[in-house]
Amino acid sequence: MADTTRAEFNPADMPTTPRHGIKYPGANDLVRFASQQFQAMAESIDDNIDQLPDQITATLTDATRRAEAAATKAEQAAANAGGMADGAVAGFVNKTDSATRQALDLHYVKVFESPHIVTIGDSYASPTDGRSWAVQLANLLNATLHNYAIAGTGYLTTDATKNYQAQADKAVADKSYDHNRVQYVIVGGSRNDIGDRTAHQTAMARIYETTATSFPNARIIFVPMLWDWKPVGGYWRSNASAIMSGVMSHARAEAIPYAWTWLLGMPERFSGTDIHPDETGSLIIARYIKSYLDGRYTGRYVSQVVKAPNNTGLWALSITASGGTISYSLGVADKVAISNVQSFHIPLWAAASNDMTNDGYPGWSTATTNSGNQAALFHVDTISTQDAGQNPTASAGIQPFTVSSGQAPAGRMGLSFTRAW
C-alpha cells in the first residue's frame, strides 16, 4: 500500500489503469505533490501512446493477412464454380433433350443449323431452279427452303386451292419440319390480282394471322408487286400500297416497299415478251430481299444526266429516282431552237407507264421561257416496245405551244417536276 506520509514524491505510489498502465493521481497528498502527480500521469500517457501504434499495426496486419487469405479462398472457389458451371452448360447444350438446348433451339436457331424459310408467291417464286427468287434467296441465306408458291396466283385470285391463302394453309399443315425453327415467312407478289384496297388488306390480314400463329418465331414479311422491266402503272402501285398499309395493323408483319422498281429498265434480264426474269434477275430480287433481312435496305437509287449531243451545253436533263419517286430537272440555254430539245432518248427506267387507264399521261409538265409570254410542254414518253428483244427505247422532249403567236418558243427555259416511280 502506498505510504501517504512520505516527505518526498514517488511516482511508483500512483495507481495505474489495468489495460494500458496509465498512472493517475491517487492516495498521495494532492496538495503537496499535485504538480508531480499530474506530470507523472502525463508522462505515463506519453509513454504508453508510443507503444499503441505498434499494437494497432500488429492487429491490422493480422486482420489484413486473414482477409487476404479469405479472399484467395473465395477466388479459388469462384473459379472452381465457374469452371463447373461452364462445363455443366456445355453439357446441357450438347444434350439434345436438355431444357438449355431446347431454349437455345427455340430462340437462336442459327447456332445449330441453317435457317428455315417459308415462301408464298406466284410464278416469280414457283420455279425449282435459279429463276425462282425463293430458291436464290435460300442459297444466299444458306437456308432450308419450304416453298409453296404457285404460278398465276395472288391474294385475290379465285382458285381457292392455289391462291396465297391456300398456300399459307398448306404451309401450316406441313408438319415435315419444326415450325419453331422457321425464321422468315415471305409472301412475294402479286401482279395477278384484280381487286380494291380493302379486299387486298383483308386477304393480307388473314394470311398473316394464319402464318404468325403456326410460325411463332418467324418474321412475317410481305413483298408486294414484284414486276418486270417495264414501268408499273398506278393501279398496281395502289395494290402495293394497300398491302404496305395493312401490315401496320399487325405487330409482327413487315413489308418491303418499291419492289416493282428493282428490275425496272433491265430488258436484258428478260426474253422477248416473257415477264419472268432470268436467273440473274431473280438473283437481283433475292439480293434486295436479303438486304432488307440484314437491315441494309434503302430501296433502289438511280441517277443520270442526259445532255445535248456532243455535250455542247445547249441543254441538260437531270433524272434521279429513289424509292418510289422520280424527278426531272431540265435546263435549256438562251436562244436554243425548239428542234434541239423536241425529242431525245432517256434511260428506260425513266420512261412513263403505258397504263393510260389509271395513269392518264403521267409525264407532262410545263416549261416557261424567260420572255414570260411563251410556254412549252415537256413530255416523258412510254417505252417503244413491250418486247425485251426488240431494242426498246424511251424518249422525252419539248412539245411546243404558244399563247400569243404561231411561233415555237425559243430562248432560255427551265422546269423541274416529280412523279411516281
Side-chain angles (χ1 to χ4, degrees), residues 82-171:
M84 294 173 61
D86 187 44
V89 170
F92 286 136
V93 167
N94 291 320
K95 189 176 181 181
T96 57
D97 60 348
S98 72
T100 300
R101 172 62 179 269
Q102 291 173 3
L104 287 172
D105 279 3
L106 185 62
H107 296 289
Y108 302 100
V109 178
K110 288 184 178 179
V111 174
F112 301 105
E113 63 175 36
S114 64
H116 288 237
I117 61 173
V118 167
T119 51
I120 292 170
D122 52 26
S123 55
Y124 276 44
S126 61
T128 58
D129 58 13
R131 294 193 68 185
S132 162
W133 63 259
V135 171
Q136 295 275 24
L137 180 62
N139 291 337
L140 291 176
L141 296 174
N142 190 27
T144 300
L145 175 63
H146 308 280
N147 186 14
Y148 302 92
I150 300 174
T153 59
Y155 293 94
L156 305 178
T157 47
T158 56
D159 189 341
T161 66
K162 296 180 179 180
N163 63 19
Y164 284 6
Q165 182 60 49
Q167 295 175 36
D169 292 338
K170 186 176 180 180

Side-chain angles (χ1 to χ4, degrees), residues 13 22 60 95 97 115 139-140 157 189 234 262 266 310 323 348 381:
D13 292 336
I22 305 297
L60 290 176
K95 189 176 181 181
D97 60 348
N139 291 337
L140 291 176
T157 47
W262 294 347
M266 300 182 188
N310 303 318
L348 289 173
D381 302 327

Side-chain angles (χ1 to χ4, degrees), residues 338 341-343 364-365 367 375-379 396-402 409:
I338 196 66
V341 286
Q342 196 159 358
S343 182
W364 290 100
S365 180
L377 200 61
F378 177 76
H379 56 91
I398 293 293
Q399 173 70 34
F401 70 91
T402 64

Side-chain angles (χ1 to χ4, degrees), residues 182-307:
V182 174
Q183 287 185 288
Y184 307 110
V185 174
I186 303 177
V187 184
S190 165
R191 62 184 295 157
N192 298 312
D193 290 320
I194 303 295
D196 61 18
R197 291 176 61 86
T198 301
H200 275 89
Q201 290 182 348
T202 299
M204 182 278 300
R206 186 183 171 200
I207 292 167
Y208 167 79
E209 291 164 359
T210 300
T211 55
T213 300
S214 185
F215 304 100
N217 301 306
R219 294 169 63 183
I220 314 298
I221 302 170
F222 295 85
V223 191
M225 214 49 60
L226 295 170
W227 204 255
D228 57 73
W229 63 276
K230 299 179 292 296
V232 69
Y235 176 81
W236 305 108
R237 282 193 299 270
S238 178
N239 287 353
S241 172
I243 301 301
M244 290 188 291
S245 299
V247 302
M248 301 307 295
S249 301
H250 307 280
R252 286 170 49 210
E254 305 173 49
I256 308 178
Y258 317 130
W260 55 92
T261 69
W262 294 347
L263 298 176
L264 179 56
M266 300 182 188
E268 67 275 13
R269 302 276 64 89
F270 297 81
S271 177
T273 57
D274 188 358
I275 62 172
H276 304 95
D278 61 12
E279 289 196 15
T280 301
S282 296
L283 179 59
I284 290 172
I285 293 173
R287 284 176 172 165
Y288 272 112
I289 295 174
K290 185 177 184 298
S291 72
Y292 178 86
L293 301 181
D294 294 341
R296 300 180 291 106
Y297 180 70
T298 57
R300 185 182 175 193
Y301 173 86
V302 283
S303 185
Q304 186 170 330
V305 175
V306 180
K307 298 182 180 181

Side-chain angles (χ1 to χ4, degrees), residues 65-84:
R65 183 174 59 252
R66 292 174 180 272
E68 290 175 346
T72 299
K73 290 182 179 179
E75 290 175 357
Q76 292 174 347
N80 291 337
M84 294 173 61

